[in-house]
Amino acid sequence: MMQQAPATRFHQRWRAYAALMRMDRPIGTLLLLWPTYWGLWFAAKGTPPLGLFLIFTAGTWLMRSAGCVINDYFDRDLDHQVARTRYRPLATGLISPRAALRLFAVLCLLAATLLFFLNTLTLLLAGGAILVTVTYPWFKRFTHLPQAYLGIAFSMGIPMAFAATRGQVPALAWWLMLANACWVVAYDTAYAMADRPDDLKAGIRSTAILFGRYDRHAIAGLQAVMLIIFVGIGVEQGIHWPYWMAVGGAVVLAAYEQTLLGGDRDQALRAFLHNHWIGLMLFWGIVAGLAPNGMPMLPGF
């Protein structure tokens, strides 16, 4: 047999590692970034320092990549049983478990270097975030609520943003974290709806299985709680009119997702992906609503 050229083997290897870190699917990073940015802008009252903005952006990308790697490491014996995940690099053997652990360690170390620029409270919260990230994959094995645990993991950037900006975590941060956790459970339930038939066969647990035929109602209820909290935050903070336009837009986007959830697997996946626009809409509302006269401000200005 003709051997592959070194350049070709390197290219295939790079693509496998990129897939392991989900570099080809940035939706997870975006869904982590939006709530982190919400926290940064609220914590800084509309003008976050450019340095913190860059640190949290880089840290979010690194920890999302690390989370994907460790998740696939623990799920490598389950992923081949699910249609959507059966071709992941660890499930197919393109990358060895030991190599995946090395990559996870490198990503965590790179993220840890960013902590040297932050205060002690942020460092402690980051330790909690790493613990949640590492233990998350086990929750689908003994509880139907792994999405709730993921809600905590995907919300840790909020208290960290307040800690880094103000040196404390006020009630506003915890309310914002609760709103985001509800949103995470909602959109990850839609994600799990796409995998539900395969998950049932493999013995994987999820809120999509727990909610059953009431899955759409549960998603609608969770999104409603999230948006009600945003209304309360807006009233308490006295935010300008663009914020209210964004909250109204998020209501419309959430209602549209309900029309998608009545379809097949592909429609459920579309509903999940669509949540990026809700996060972006609310981010725009926060940025514009906190700025003087509703004019958005760039970080550090």
Side-chain angles (χ1 to χ4, degrees):
M1 293 180 61
M2 182 179 292
Q3 290 187 342
Q4 290 181 324
T8 302
R9 290 198 301 271
F10 174 81
H11 181 67
Q12 290 179 340
R13 194 75 171 171
W14 163 249
R15 288 184 61 184
Y17 278 106
L20 182 60
M21 293 186 289
R22 307 292 194 276
M23 291 178 67
D24 56 334
R25 298 184 179 181
I27 180 64
T29 302
L30 292 170
L31 292 174
L32 262 173
L33 276 175
W34 297 134
T36 302
Y37 288 165
W38 301 344
L40 269 176
W41 257 260
F42 270 122
K45 299 181 180 179
T47 54
L50 180 59
L52 285 182
F53 175 78
L54 295 175
I55 287 171
F56 275 88
T57 299
T60 297
W61 183 85
L62 287 168
M63 286 312 301
R64 190 260 174 164
S65 298
C68 291
V69 172
I70 199 65
N71 181 76
D72 285 8
Y73 172 81
F74 286 120
D75 285 357
R76 62 190 185 278
D77 295 327
L78 295 175
D79 281 345
H80 70 277
Q81 302 179 57
V82 179
R84 183 181 53 80
T85 61
R86 65 180 49 163
Y87 297 112
R88 287 179 174 173
L90 277 169
T92 59
L94 282 173
I95 295 176
S96 69
R98 181 176 295 180
L101 286 178
R102 287 198 296 264
L103 176 60
F104 173 74
V106 169
L107 290 168
C108 287
L109 286 173
L110 289 173
T113 61
L114 299 173
L115 297 175
F116 288 110
F117 301 96
L118 303 174
N119 57 38
T120 303
L121 178 57
T122 310
L123 177 62
L124 292 174
L125 289 169
I130 293 174
L131 178 63
V132 173
T133 298
V134 173
T135 55
Y136 160 71
W138 293 100
F139 270 66
K140 68 187 72 173
R141 288 164 169 79
F142 63 86
T143 174
H144 281 96
L145 296 171
Q147 282 72 25
Y149 200 64
L150 185 68
I152 298 173
F154 268 48
S155 301
M156 288 301 297
I158 295 172
M160 287 176 63
F162 276 86
T165 305
R166 300 189 184 182
Q168 60 178 332
V169 184
L172 171 60
W174 300 117
W175 279 110
L176 199 59
M177 186 175 180
L178 176 60
N180 186 64
C182 290
W183 183 43
V184 173
V185 177
Y187 66 62
D188 206 55
T189 297
Y191 193 50
M193 287 168 66
D195 294 337
R196 183 160 47 196
D198 294 332
D199 285 349
L200 286 167
K201 294 177 185 177
I204 299 172
R205 302 180 183 186
S206 72
T207 48
I209 295 172
L210 177 66
F211 296 146
R213 61 193 181 97
Y214 299 106
D215 46 16
R216 292 174 64 190
H217 301 83
I219 291 172
L222 288 162
Q223 289 180 325
V225 171
M226 169 210 183
L227 293 168
I228 289 170
I229 293 174
F230 266 88
V231 169
I233 289 173
V235 172
E236 195 271 334
Q237 295 290 308
I239 305 178
H240 295 308
W241 60 268
Y243 178 86
W244 300 107
M245 287 185 61
V247 172
V251 171
V252 173
L253 293 174
Y256 170 69
E257 288 177 10
Q258 285 293 312
T259 67
L260 298 175
L261 291 170
D264 56 14
R265 287 189 184 192
D266 291 339
Q267 291 290 82
L269 191 57
R270 279 186 61 196
F272 161 73
L273 295 170
H274 185 262
N275 278 274
H276 155 66
W277 298 108
I278 292 180
L280 175 59
M281 175 76 71
L282 291 170
F283 173 59
W284 172 83
I286 293 168
V287 172
L290 288 173
N293 302 316
M295 296 300 292
M297 301 287 287
L298 295 174
F301 287 84

